[in-house]
Amino acid sequence: MEENSKASDQNQFQANFQIPFDYFVSKKHQAIESGCVLGFTDSFGNFVYGVQHLSHKSKDRPHCIKLFLDASGDTLFSIHRVNKGSWQCFRGKESREEELIFKVERTVDGFTRTEFEISLSGESKEGSKIELKMKGSPFKRSCTIYKGDSIVAETSLMHKLGIKKMFIPRSRFRATIFPGCTDHSLALALVVIFFDGRKLWI
């Protein structure tokens, strides 16, 4: 547990670096804590974040909910899938309006192309406004998050270099956070939403 805490501290430190920072996303990793369906590790293999299913949609609970956890198992965000193309993200396990961080709407849902608009919650009277966009292909594990014309984060498949290129299984790929993004956990929560509901994913 102490090692996990150090990994979390390291992530906060890396957020200020002026170079891209890589996380490795996997459904199968020895560091994934019990109950997590997905894990994010750093380049040293340290477990940094995890995703846990809290519930599936039912008559009593209209939303499918996932929890985004830190290395200590504490809940950073709760991600609610409101319907097939709409999500809301709250701080911690709360779902009160004042704890709302952002809303996500899927605007394009094709086999080779998927696009989303992210509205960040503000304290102004105007409320939320669209500040981020996501575009990519879930099948290719390709997701790019934009703020204006700048890239905030992107995901990509990996391969081993050598005489013959060997591709890593699609259940494991890279998520790169670029300089200027001060909240890695929020960007990775958006990655979780991008792949949410895909049969080959989570």
Side-chain angles (χ1 to χ4, degrees):
M1 191 66 70
E2 181 180 352
E3 194 172 299
N4 286 339
S5 179
K6 289 181 179 179
S8 181
D9 292 340
Q10 180 190 41
N11 175 62
Q12 295 300 321
F13 181 70
Q14 293 286 357
N16 296 318
F17 267 31
Q18 295 305 305
I19 58 174
F21 190 89
D22 287 335
Y23 293 90
F24 298 91
V25 192
S26 178
K27 295 179 69 175
K28 296 180 180 179
H29 190 281
Q30 60 182 5
I32 294 180
E33 297 183 358
S34 177
C36 286
V37 297
L38 183 72
F40 292 86
T41 60
D42 62 18
S43 58
F44 298 102
N46 297 312
F47 181 79
V48 184
Y49 300 112
V51 178
Q52 187 178 75
H53 278 295
L54 179 61
S55 69
H56 293 280
K57 190 173 180 179
S58 65
K59 291 182 179 180
D60 297 330
R61 192 186 294 271
H63 300 168
C64 177
I65 302 173
K66 290 185 175 70
L67 301 181
F68 191 90
L69 314 175
D70 65 12
S72 300
D74 295 325
T75 301
L76 298 179
F77 312 121
S78 57
I79 301 169
H80 296 238
R81 187 169 68 199
V82 181
N83 54 49
K84 192 175 180 181
S86 179
W87 293 260
Q88 294 181 346
C89 182
F90 299 86
R91 292 184 182 84
K93 293 184 179 180
E94 301 295 337
S95 58
R96 300 192 304 269
E97 188 68 25
E98 57 266 29
E99 299 299 333
L100 180 66
I101 303 174
F102 61 78
K103 296 180 180 179
V104 177
E105 294 290 336
R106 185 161 53 208
T107 56
V108 176
D109 187 18
F111 180 73
T112 60
R113 190 71 176 172
T114 306
E115 298 184 12
F116 301 77
E117 292 182 343
I118 298 97
S119 302
L120 301 179
S121 296
E123 298 179 356
S124 64
K125 293 182 180 180
E126 288 78 11
S128 303
K129 60 180 180 179
I130 296 172
E131 293 193 10
L132 300 170
K133 292 188 177 182
M134 288 194 293
K135 301 178 181 179
S137 169
F139 177 75
K140 295 180 180 179
R141 301 296 186 262
S142 171
C143 165
T144 304
I145 303 173
Y146 298 90
K147 183 174 183 179
D149 295 327
S150 301
I151 297 178
V152 175
E154 66 180 7
T155 65
S156 60
L157 287 170
M158 299 182 295
H159 60 265
K160 294 180 180 178
L161 298 177
I163 299 177
K164 293 183 179 180
K165 285 186 177 181
M166 295 180 61
F167 285 91
I168 307 298
R170 290 177 180 274
S171 60
R172 187 171 189 266
F173 58 94
R174 179 187 294 109
T176 302
I177 310 296
F178 290 93
C181 176
T182 57
D183 193 338
H184 290 197
S185 58
L186 189 148
L188 295 176
L190 287 173
V191 169
V192 172
I193 291 175
F194 183 86
F195 292 102
D196 186 32
R198 303 293 174 173
K199 291 183 179 180
L200 295 177
W201 189 231
I202 54 176

